[in-house]
Amino acid sequence: SSYGKVRILENHKGEQIDSAGPSTPVKIAGFKALPSFGDKLIGFGSEREAKDAALKSEKVVSKLTIATAKKTKEENSIEGVLAELNVLVKCDVLGSIEAVRKTLKETETNEAKIKIVSEGAGAISESDITLGKATNAIVVGFRVNLLGAAKKISEKEDVKVKTFDVIYDLVDHVKEELINLLPPLIIEEEKGTGEVLAIFRDDKKAFVAGGRINSGSANANKEIKIFQDDNEKYRGKIISLRKGKNEAKECDSGSECGIGLVPGANVAVGDKFVIFETIQRKRTL
């Protein structure tokens, strides 16, 4: 899937040669991108023919990779994983790929996984962007260039592409993208506790319970959980608070107040309650 005009041909001694026969080890310079292990070397009469053949090869590889990526996604659906980020990696040399892969895998947790849908050496090309789009992957490069045509396609297809000169900057970028896929942590922060002393109103229009705040405080618009014998039986939003005949914004520890809830609230005398606030926090890895 790479092509170019042979500009330098050297033998195993580092000497420049004009031609090489079968089984002759050589060093070749002139490719537009680095080939992969196992790729076949085929000679053509013109660079145009070589480019056409390389593009056809890229399309075949892309189709195979996409099919493999989809199959892997279906087979590797792991229970407990909250987010999975598909990543396409391109590096300057093959040796860098292993380092990037290893460092990315060390970033994973049981809840957040990184799936490398494709990896290779050489500049980020049009086919990389096409594959990134097909597999819903972000594309990252280490010490490689983003080709002009590939940049235009990435902007058109809205594929995220970024290149780096430092591995840990690349990993931090992938890590942030993975964190953004994770659902936020839902935390119930306790604000106060108490018990139900009386039911003042229970009809189709309103429900009002009389309660005593034993610790913390109760605030209008906060949430409440009702417990009977330590088992949660109801939760909802506090519609209003009253101290005597007056509406109140807050009831402190040791005070008694009327707690307005939605009609039909499952609350009885003797129930315990917890006032709380639901907070969303961004997860970390």
Side-chain angles (χ1 to χ4, degrees):
S1 59
S2 64
Y3 67 95
K5 184 177 181 180
V6 177
R7 303 190 183 281
I8 298 176
L9 188 65
E10 295 181 353
N11 61 18
H12 65 287
K13 296 180 181 179
E15 300 168 340
Q16 287 197 22
I17 55 178
D18 294 325
S19 63
S23 302
T24 303
V26 293
K27 181 189 292 185
I28 302 173
F31 289 114
K32 300 292 184 181
L34 286 176
S36 300
F37 288 120
D39 284 353
K40 294 181 179 180
L41 180 61
I42 304 173
F44 291 89
S46 68
E47 189 169 343
R48 177 75 260 177
E49 291 179 276
K51 183 177 180 180
D52 290 342
L55 290 175
K56 288 179 182 179
S57 175
E58 276 190 346
K59 289 179 181 179
V60 172
V61 172
S62 294
K63 288 179 181 179
L64 289 173
T65 308
I66 291 170
T68 303
K70 289 181 178 178
K71 184 178 180 181
T72 303
K73 187 174 182 180
E74 293 172 358
E75 292 177 349
N76 289 358
S77 181
I78 305 171
E79 187 177 351
V81 175
L82 299 179
E84 186 174 65
L85 179 67
N86 289 345
V87 183
L88 189 153
V89 179
K90 294 300 289 288
C91 296
D92 55 346
V93 294
L94 297 175
S96 299
I97 296 174
E98 181 62 32
V100 170
R101 186 196 307 121
K102 181 181 178 181
T103 311
L104 286 178
K105 286 300 178 181
E106 289 173 351
T107 303
E108 289 187 326
T109 68
N110 291 332
E111 295 179 335
K113 299 294 182 182
I114 296 171
K115 180 184 290 183
I116 299 177
V117 298
S118 179
E119 57 186 29
I124 298 172
S125 65
E126 300 166 60
S127 61
D128 295 321
I129 303 303
T130 302
L131 180 57
K133 177 69 175 179
T135 56
N136 193 29
I138 65 169
V139 180
V140 293
F142 175 64
R143 294 180 179 173
V144 295
N145 294 323
L146 172 61
L147 299 179
K151 184 178 181 180
K152 289 181 180 179
I153 295 176
S154 68
E155 292 170 351
K156 180 181 177 182
E157 298 294 342
D158 195 26
V159 176
K160 292 182 179 179
V161 185
K162 204 161 185 180
T163 60
F164 303 87
D165 292 323
V166 179
I167 284 182
Y168 291 104
D169 289 340
L170 182 153
V171 172
D172 286 343
H173 170 69
V174 173
K175 185 176 178 180
E176 187 63 27
E177 290 290 333
L178 182 55
I179 288 174
N180 290 336
L181 292 180
L182 287 168
L185 280 171
I186 306 299
I187 300 171
E188 294 181 355
E189 191 173 274
E190 186 177 300
K191 297 295 183 180
T193 64
E195 61 181 307
V196 178
L197 303 178
I199 304 298
F200 295 140
R201 183 175 179 180
D202 183 8
D203 55 41
K204 293 181 180 180
K205 293 184 178 181
F207 183 98
V208 181
R212 180 172 59 240
I213 309 301
N214 295 330
S215 67
S217 63
N219 298 76
N221 297 321
K222 289 291 189 292
E223 297 172 273
I224 188 170
K225 293 185 287 188
I226 306 296
F227 294 86
Q228 182 179 39
D229 300 326
D230 295 326
N231 296 314
E232 183 180 329
K233 57 185 285 192
Y234 173 83
R235 65 168 57 203
K237 189 175 182 180
I238 297 175
I239 306 300
S240 63
L241 287 176
R242 300 188 72 87
K243 285 186 177 180
K245 296 182 179 181
N246 300 318
E247 195 165 323
K249 291 185 177 180
E250 184 176 14
C251 292
D252 296 324
S253 177
S255 64
E256 295 181 3
C257 59
I259 302 173
L261 303 173
V262 296
N266 183 17
V267 182
V269 174
D271 288 347
K272 309 295 183 183
F273 61 77
V274 173
I275 313 293
F276 68 98
E277 181 178 9
T278 300
I279 299 173
Q280 292 189 5
R281 289 183 182 168
K282 192 173 182 177
R283 292 177 185 263
T284 58
L285 295 179

